[in-house]
Amino acid sequence: QVPLVESGGGLVQPGESLRLSCTAPGFTSDTCGMDWYRQAAGKQREWIGAINQVGTTTYGDSMKGRFAISRDKTTVYLQMNSLKPEDTAIYSCVSDPRTYGRRCNFRGQGTEVTVSS
């Protein structure tokens, strides 16, 4: 398993936006898709959405509208708009070989997002 490097987390005020990035040496987005998850303190991990190898995105029902996943050749992005305090969580990216093929075995450690005034 290759560690993904996540960046872009931090402290923002309600209503603001953040863009998270996820990349790793050897990762190419047209070979491996990616899923984004989040986990708030004391809660179960929640699937945000995914982008597959051809660039098709899918989202969890509660994530549609404010979250958008995109990519370039080596990086996958999670754009988050109109952030709310309940979006506070650890956000992580995963490329699972069970989903995207045996060459795709990447996992991030997570980046913290805090939404607070």
Side-chain angles (χ1 to χ4, degrees), residues 71-92:
R71 67 178 190 175
D72 59 27
K73 179 69 173 177
T74 61
T75 303
V76 175
Y77 304 95
L78 176 65
Q79 178 70 40
M80 305 185 292
N81 300 321
S82 301
L83 284 164
K84 305 174 182 179
E86 51 264 43
D87 294 318
T88 296
I90 304 294
Y91 287 73
S92 59

Side-chain angles (χ1 to χ4, degrees), residues 49-101:
I51 187 165
N52 66 13
Q53 291 93 324
V54 297
T56 301
T57 54
T58 53
Y59 300 93
D61 287 341
S62 64
M63 306 298 173
K64 295 176 182 177
R66 296 191 299 119
F67 294 83
I69 299 172
S70 62
R71 67 178 190 175
D72 59 27
K73 179 69 173 177
T74 61
T75 303
V76 175
Y77 304 95
L78 176 65
Q79 178 70 40
M80 305 185 292
N81 300 321
S82 301
L83 284 164
K84 305 174 182 179
E86 51 264 43
D87 294 318
T88 296
I90 304 294
Y91 287 73
S92 59
C93 47
V94 178
S95 187
D96 193 318
R98 295 169 296 180
T99 305
Y100 299 114

Side-chain angles (χ1 to χ4, degrees), residues 13-72:
Q13 294 190 345
E16 293 185 340
S17 298
L18 273 179
R19 189 177 76 159
L20 307 183
S21 301
C22 190
T23 190
F27 173 81
T28 55
S29 62
D30 57 356
T31 300
C32 296
M34 187 81 72
D35 289 75
W36 282 96
Y37 293 88
R38 70 181 185 183
Q39 187 164 20
K43 295 187 177 181
Q44 289 192 333
R45 189 177 70 162
E46 186 176 20
W47 183 68
I48 297 171
I51 187 165
N52 66 13
Q53 291 93 324
V54 297
T56 301
T57 54
T58 53
Y59 300 93
D61 287 341
S62 64
M63 306 298 173
K64 295 176 182 177
R66 296 191 299 119
F67 294 83
I69 299 172
S70 62
R71 67 178 190 175
D72 59 27

